[in-house]
Amino acid sequence: MLRLAPFALFLCVAAAAQTAPERPLTALPYTPSLDVTAMDKSVDPCVDFYRYSCGGWIKNNPIPPDQASWDVYAKLAHDDLQFLWGVLEQSANPEPPRSKVQQEVGDYFHACMDEAAIEKLGAAPLKPSLDGIAAIQTLDDLTRFIAREHLSVRGSGLLFGFGSNQDFANSNQVIAFAYSGGLGLPDRDYYTKTDAKSVETRAKYVQHVQRMLELIGDDPNSAAAEANTVMAIETALAKASLTRVEKRDPYKLFHKVTTAQLVAMAPAFKWNDYFATDGLPHLDTLNVTEPEFYKELQKQLTARPIADWRAYLRWHIVHASAPYLSSAFVQANFDFYSKYLHGVEQMPPRWRRCVQYVDRDLGEALGQVFVEKAFGPEAKQQALAMTKEVEAAMERDLRDLPWMSEATKQQALAKLHTIVNKIGYPDKWRDYSSIRLARADFFGNVMRSTEFESHRDIAKIGKPVDRGEWEMTPPTVNAYYDPQMNDINFPAGVLQPPLFDLKMDAAPNYGNTGATIGHELTHGFDDEGRQFDAKGNLRDWWTPEDAKHFEERAQCVVDQYAQYTVVDDIKINSKLTEGEDIADLGGTLLAYVAWQNATRGQDLKPVEGLTPGQRFFIGMAQWACGSERPETKRVRALTDPHSPDEYRINGVVSNMPEFASAFSCKAGQPMVRAKSCRVW
Ligand SMILES: [Zn+2]
């Protein structure tokens, strides 16, 4: 759903480790939402609009050595981090009186920055978990170990994922979800693809697993054997997992079963022990997203000696903990995941990683300070007004849609009218005061805040949904639509210049943030979102003919993007990017109509030699200025539901007659597609 995909560990957010040493910022720097110096006017906009709008930016902003990619969003996120760094340095000082929130984030940050203490500990923080693994003799022991570790280890790397989510059939109710998981590579396709690069990546991965096991004291021979076992287990689990494209179909992820049925799928795993250890209430039903995965898990659990599972768990525990241990672990983790997989040359500085951990673990405490200093009531009110304007455009669009019947239109309008707009930050802040945060125990702080989050998550099972919750923290430079909540969420971090600029005229603002709002809105009606109704329930509210018309129009977009090359011989997997591509196109169209409506009757004049229409489209393109390392392009081609930036711009404008007219482009030019696609 997200506008930008979060990818592996501290890679998505940004940095500029060029020449001058970085210092904390006391205020966010200003960049206008339309920047003529970011353009390359030597390029014909009708030939390559992305280069025309962004050529200067790309030339002036090379990818910093500690980044996998670099773009306008990443640069703004970097500025946010640098600004929060200042806030945290101040909060870390115990001398002046601190508020409760300052004390929480300050002590966490202080512990994270204390590299000498972390270095001295080496692998010691892992000892309790490694001792626990060494004691596993039976599958019962294994179950209890996994249950405990699931509370304090993030992600779904330990065999499978478990947590709470809204019931697909009844969005008011929170139920338990058991997910697939258990992998160490970024996607199940890494284990199944047979091309030379994938074969090489698997070999490098096995070497990395071995290196990490050696770091916790295994001799090279046994570490090598253990690494091969890990690879064999993960390959079996990967093959039984759905692909990312299959996971776009919510029906493929919805299998509500009784606990007894789950036990029947994988009886070797002692589910009742697992639930009891995690303090879960008696579960009548739960959703097993991928039953085939659990059947394979059963096969693996019964076929393998317990020693294999000890090896597998040793790897996953050290892997999950590596970023919070001494430099040998941090470096090895960086070398494989950042350097080899993403092409990053240099480790990001410690301060930046620590700010990101605070944001992840205590985000609504840090967010309070961020909002107070960087997001005033005027920005909130203007963002809300723009959202209403874009929603009004969508309402008109739906009413006039030539291909949709009246019956489906009524349902679509009902859904649109029910969408909740969440702008900036939550109404009620999360209270972290029950977490023990120590000034000299970074590893413990990470574990305890993860446990806090796990308990918070599973405590929701069996209760009505809390509609005030956010999935992103306020400083996040990103936005999302949630089909089950039926809400759009714009954190304060994304409503900042150059993305949202109160000093600038309406055209580039509507092109940029307006199109993002439209993008998130249309997610409610893309290939995935359209399957949920106004209440957020998985229910088919389309007439068969309307569904067919939608699919034909969506297929036009799928065919268009399938032509674009990501890197080398890799094309866009446009069934994976379908929802995002439709949202980019629909969002821009809606923003254009909304902008025209918002400025109707005004005498709009050219600014800096650009007409208002041109300014709308350049503003729209300039959110996406940036570049990526080739290695990162490869990872994203497999994992990211968004198309590469240049196609997110050129792919959209080449479908829009409004664009051709703004730049007087002629039929036959590259930015004017002969067969233009249009869904909304
Ligand atoms: Zn999106």
Side-chain angles (χ1 to χ4, degrees):
M1 292 297 136
L2 314 182
R3 181 168 175 114
L4 295 174
F7 47 108
L9 236 45
F10 56 76
L11 285 173
C12 47
V13 195
Q18 286 96 347
T19 42
E22 292 173 311
R23 292 301 314 148
L25 296 174
T26 49
L28 286 169
Y30 172 72
T31 314
S33 70
L34 192 161
D35 183 359
V36 285
T37 67
M39 299 169 66
D40 180 353
K41 289 190 177 170
S42 71
V43 177
D44 182 342
C46 301
V47 172
D48 184 345
F49 186 60
Y50 181 71
R51 299 280 145 206
Y52 168 81
S53 304
C54 290
W57 196 98
I58 293 166
K59 189 165 148 270
N60 297 330
N61 294 276
I63 305 174
D66 56 6
Q67 296 296 315
S69 58
W70 194 235
D71 57 28
V72 168
Y73 267 57
K75 198 173 180 188
L76 176 56
H78 177 261
D79 291 344
D80 281 0
L81 290 175
Q82 237 177 315
F83 174 66
L84 292 169
W85 181 17
V87 167
L88 287 169
E89 268 199 343
Q90 210 182 6
S91 306
N93 182 354
E95 289 309 321
R98 297 183 292 174
S99 68
K100 180 175 79 68
V101 161
Q102 283 173 321
Q103 187 175 336
E104 286 164 359
V105 297
D107 287 350
Y108 183 113
F109 185 71
H110 180 270
C112 181
M113 289 300 285
D114 190 354
E115 273 185 284
I118 294 163
E119 205 55 34
K120 224 162 95 189
L121 288 173
L126 289 182
K127 191 164 186 311
S129 293
L130 295 178
D131 288 350
I133 295 171
I136 296 175
Q137 299 299 330
T138 63
L139 289 176
D140 289 19
D141 298 339
L142 176 102
T143 299
R144 280 188 291 271
F145 177 82
I146 297 266
R148 282 194 309 274
E149 296 290 325
H150 266 183
L151 295 176
S152 56
V153 172
R154 283 184 173 269
S156 57
L158 279 182
L159 273 192
F160 62 91
F162 191 89
S164 70
N165 206 335
Q166 283 164 277
D167 187 343
F168 282 10
N170 174 9
S171 67
N172 287 323
Q173 192 65 28
V174 179
I175 60 169
F177 271 52
Y179 303 95
S180 64
L183 310 181
L185 283 165
D187 187 80
R188 51 90 68 202
D189 284 359
Y190 278 92
Y191 298 86
T192 57
K193 285 173 64 110
T194 54
D195 61 283
K197 185 74 187 168
S198 302
V199 172
E200 179 203 284
T201 302
R202 285 196 289 275
K204 294 266 187 201
Y205 176 62
V206 172
Q207 284 167 18
H208 170 65
V209 175
Q210 179 182 343
R211 181 180 174 191
M212 295 296 271
L213 292 171
E214 286 178 35
L215 284 178
I216 49 171
D218 297 5
D219 70 77
N221 284 339
S222 24
E226 287 176 289
N228 283 318
T229 301
V230 167
M231 192 62 187
I233 294 176
E234 291 187 3
T235 303
L237 296 179
K239 285 183 177 161
S241 303
L242 295 179
T243 66
R244 279 180 200 249
V245 171
E246 287 166 335
K247 284 186 188 177
R248 292 191 62 75
D249 178 354
Y251 288 97
K252 288 204 169 87
L253 295 173
F254 190 42
H255 307 93
K256 227 163 135 181
V257 299
T258 61
T259 310
Q261 285 171 305
L262 171 65
V263 170
M265 266 179 230
F269 194 79
K270 307 300 172 192
W271 290 101
N272 289 318
D273 272 8
Y274 177 85
F275 297 143
T277 308
D278 278 2
L280 280 159
H282 173 74
L283 301 174
D284 291 325
T285 56
L286 74 161
N287 181 27
V288 177
T289 58
E290 296 173 54
E292 291 310 313
F293 172 86
Y294 282 90
K295 289 177 194 161
E296 182 60 36
L297 185 60
Q298 166 70 11
K299 271 195 212 153
Q300 293 295 318
L301 286 172
T302 47
R304 291 188 173 277
I306 212 80
D308 283 9
W309 296 108
R310 287 197 293 262
Y312 172 86
L313 292 174
R314 281 170 76 73
W315 150 245
H316 275 284
I317 288 295
V318 64
H319 170 51
S321 313
Y324 323 117
L325 295 170
S326 58
S327 55
F329 292 90
V330 175
Q331 187 67 46
N333 188 57
F334 171 83
D335 286 347
F336 179 72
Y337 286 99
S338 297
K339 197 177 213 166
Y340 173 71
L341 274 186
H342 285 91
V344 182
E345 293 158 10
Q346 189 179 299
M347 177 98 66
R350 179 110 200 146
W351 71 262
R352 195 180 318 133
R353 286 176 276 147
C354 288
V355 177
Q356 287 171 320
Y357 297 143
V358 180
D359 181 47
R360 182 196 64 188
D361 287 347
L362 306 169
E364 292 195 11
L366 188 59
Q368 289 179 46
V369 190
F370 181 79
V371 165
E372 202 178 288
K373 293 180 186 264
F375 191 66
E378 200 199 343
K380 181 163 178 157
Q381 184 252 318
Q382 297 257 6
L384 197 58
M386 184 182 271
T387 306
K388 298 243 185 258
E389 200 68 71
V390 178
E391 283 170 345
M394 180 139 205
E395 167 148 8
R396 282 193 298 278
D397 176 81
L398 281 173
R399 287 193 195 283
D400 296 344
L401 218 51
W403 55 268
M404 193 184 264
S405 71
E406 200 48 42
T408 307
K409 273 184 188 178
Q410 287 312 317
Q411 301 264 353
L413 286 166
K415 178 162 182 174
L416 176 66
H417 292 150
T418 328
I419 289 177
V420 173
N421 304 318
K422 281 151 75 177
I423 308 283
Y425 50 91
D427 292 339
K428 188 169 167 284
W429 296 105
R430 194 162 296 161
D431 177 6
Y432 300 102
S433 56
S434 64
I435 310 175
R436 187 169 67 77
L437 296 165
R439 280 180 75 78
D441 183 12
F442 174 50
F443 192 89
N445 290 343
V446 172
M447 281 198 36
R448 287 185 293 273
S449 34
T450 308
E451 280 166 16
F452 168 85
E453 178 52 30
S454 302
H455 285 299
R456 200 184 69 79
D457 182 60
I458 56 180
K460 293 189 266 186
I461 295 170
K463 304 215 176 87
V465 68
D466 173 1
R467 294 191 177 269
E469 271 196 32
W470 285 63
E471 298 291 328
M472 285 180 182
T473 67
T476 307
V477 186
N478 209 336
Y480 69 98
Y481 168 78
D482 183 328
Q484 290 177 278
M485 291 285 201
N486 197 24
D487 64 10
I488 55 173
N489 300 259
F490 280 79
V494 82
L495 297 169
Q496 305 282 338
L499 303 175
F500 186 60
D501 183 358
L502 299 178
K503 292 187 187 147
M504 191 61 66
D505 50 312
N509 271 311
Y510 269 90
N512 193 322
T513 292
T516 308
I517 296 167
H519 171 108
E520 300 305 340
L521 270 183
T522 51
H523 269 318
F525 305 86
D526 71 15
D527 59 315
E528 193 174 62
R530 78 178 185 86
Q531 307 197 58
F532 294 85
D533 68 12
K535 293 198 171 86
N537 295 327
L538 184 59
R539 181 176 71 81
D540 190 1
W541 46 272
W542 295 63
T543 67
E545 304 81 69
D546 289 335
K548 195 165 150 274
H549 289 147
F550 172 85
E551 277 158 14
E552 281 164 11
R553 284 168 180 266
Q555 190 60 42
C556 177
V557 177
V558 171
D559 294 342
Q560 177 193 351
Y561 282 77
Q563 305 298 316
Y564 298 140
T565 301
V566 180
V567 62
D568 301 333
D569 58 344
I570 303 175
K571 301 270 186 209
I572 293 179
N573 177 0
S574 62
K575 285 302 285 178
L576 177 62
T577 62
E578 174 180 355
E580 297 298 337
D581 298 333
I582 292 172
D584 284 339
L585 175 59
T588 308
L589 281 158
L590 293 178
Y592 188 83
V593 175
W595 165 62
Q596 287 198 313
N597 210 51
T599 54
R600 181 153 297 138
Q602 294 178 16
D603 181 22
L604 301 178
K605 299 233 163 33
V607 183
E608 297 172 296
L610 300 164
T611 67
Q614 291 172 341
R615 291 176 70 75
F616 172 89
F617 284 106
I618 297 166
M620 173 267 185
Q622 285 192 341
W623 78 257
C625 298
S627 29
E628 285 178 318
R629 297 180 188 279
E631 294 88 343
T632 298
K633 289 182 182 176
R634 282 185 171 272
V635 176
R636 284 191 53 191
L638 281 185
T639 58
D640 195 340
H642 304 84
S643 293
D645 287 343
E646 64 175 296
Y647 305 121
R648 295 189 69 180
I649 302 307
N650 287 350
V652 167
V653 298
S654 59
N655 279 320
M656 290 181 68
E658 297 87 344
F659 167 80
S661 124
F663 287 92
S664 307
C665 301
K666 307 269 177 310
Q669 288 192 285
M671 292 297 104
V672 183
R673 280 165 49 80
K675 181 194 172 203
S676 77
C677 305
R678 179 154 185 171
V679 181
W680 304 109

